[in-house]
Amino acid sequence: AAAAEAKYALFVMSSGVDPSSMGGFGIDGMIIVDPKGTEGVLQPANKSGYPVVTTGEPVVATGAMGFVIDNDHQEATRTVMDHFIATGRTRPALIVDTTARSYIRDIVHAYTKWCGERQLDPAVVALSEMTSDQVTEALTSLRNRPEPVDAIYTSSDGSAIALLDSARKTHVSVPGQLAIASAVDSNTLRVTNPPVTGMYLHPREIGAQAVKLVTELIERQEPGCGLPPLATTRHLIPSHLSVRGSSAAPAIADEADNGEVAHHGVKPE
């Protein structure tokens, strides 16, 4: 919608397509979602000439100036950890996937630092696939520690749902014995039993701002353009924590109401 409003046609390519093969379409600009950093158009030697915007930081440093639309996943992670502590949890952990995405790197970094500040031993389980067996094995290992984990932050809504299912299979009560929250919110998390707490990232706003940024960069390449250079190369979209029953305090789990927690306080729905 944002591209159409700006009077640009939008081509969508899968991650396996070489952008150079699109040369015949007269590309004016490009948006890359969850870049690895190895993409040719992100390298200093790239001669394509059109501007590139990424949603998420490249995982591998490219050496070239980049324009990024992103969420502050490190701040979001601290918000979730503080929420766990506020609801009586003392041993939070992470279950993340192993895909090369910058937001997972940011989550692990922020969580590890948060634990260090509180003299807690970090517990991170990275899974290549979020299958039922792998998630159940991860949950069992975390619960069988000398001090069982009592809260888990997952890297996606799918992994949160898989974790909720594994908890049910292993007779771990949610939220009585275990709190669960997801780094990505979705409508599906609203209808699970219990509903799962999730970090809402405003994906539509990210897409709209990426289009806005790339069109502004295109305008600045027009001959005779008198517009000044853009003031910043990194634009952060606020996120907020949608608190639901999966992370309610154990003592009040049966009475938990839905609500939202902003990064700097509590905001009821």
Side-chain angles (χ1 to χ4, degrees), residues 1-266:
E5 191 174 308
K7 302 189 185 307
Y8 282 94
L10 179 66
F11 290 90
V12 179
M13 299 183 296
S14 70
S15 59
V17 175
D18 182 358
S20 64
S21 66
M22 302 293 289
F25 289 92
I27 295 175
D28 295 302
M30 182 176 291
I31 299 169
I32 301 179
V33 179
D34 289 331
K36 293 181 175 63
T38 56
E39 295 84 353
V41 294
L42 295 178
Q43 306 311 309
N46 175 51
K47 304 297 183 183
S48 65
Y50 52 75
V52 178
V53 171
T54 66
T55 60
E57 295 276 0
V59 176
V60 178
T62 65
M65 182 175 70
F67 290 87
V68 180
I69 305 292
D70 204 358
N71 303 104
D72 189 342
H73 294 284
Q74 294 196 43
E75 177 65 19
T77 299
R78 288 189 287 269
T79 295
V80 173
M81 294 301 124
D82 290 344
H83 166 65
F84 284 154
I85 295 298
T87 55
R89 315 294 171 164
T90 59
R91 297 174 298 279
L94 295 184
I95 292 181
V96 299
D97 62 71
T98 57
T99 55
R101 290 180 286 184
S102 63
Y103 89 91
I104 293 178
R105 175 197 63 196
D106 292 346
I107 288 171
V108 173
H109 175 78
Y111 165 74
T112 304
K113 182 178 179 181
W114 182 92
C115 287
E117 292 167 353
R118 290 157 182 78
Q119 298 183 326
L120 297 174
D121 291 329
V124 181
V125 179
L127 302 178
S128 58
E129 295 182 37
M130 292 292 172
T131 64
S132 177
D133 287 344
Q134 285 198 21
V135 175
T136 298
E137 183 178 346
L139 173 60
T140 300
S141 69
L142 291 170
R143 292 289 298 170
N144 285 344
R145 291 162 61 98
E147 293 187 342
V149 161
D150 59 4
I152 298 177
Y153 191 35
T154 68
S155 59
S156 70
D157 53 341
S159 54
I161 292 170
L163 178 59
L164 185 62
D165 185 56
S166 293
R168 187 175 296 111
K169 289 178 181 177
T170 55
H171 307 290
V172 176
S173 170
V174 177
Q177 296 171 294
L178 179 72
I180 297 175
S182 168
V184 180
D185 197 11
S186 70
N187 288 333
T188 304
L189 298 185
R190 297 173 179 269
V191 295
T192 55
N193 183 24
V196 175
T197 292
M199 186 62 68
Y200 188 67
L201 304 176
H202 297 280
R204 289 181 180 272
E205 180 66 12
I206 289 175
Q209 289 301 315
V211 169
K212 180 176 182 291
L213 179 56
V214 78
T215 54
E216 288 179 351
L217 291 168
I218 292 170
E219 289 175 0
R220 282 163 171 75
Q221 290 189 330
E222 295 293 333
C225 175
L227 294 172
L230 294 177
T232 180
T233 61
R234 190 165 189 257
H235 301 255
L236 292 179
I237 305 300
S239 56
H240 70 262
L241 186 64
S242 299
V243 177
R244 303 188 181 103
S246 70
S247 63
I252 59 172
D254 294 335
E255 302 174 5
D257 293 324
N258 287 349
E260 293 179 350
V261 177
H263 281 331
H264 301 292
V266 178

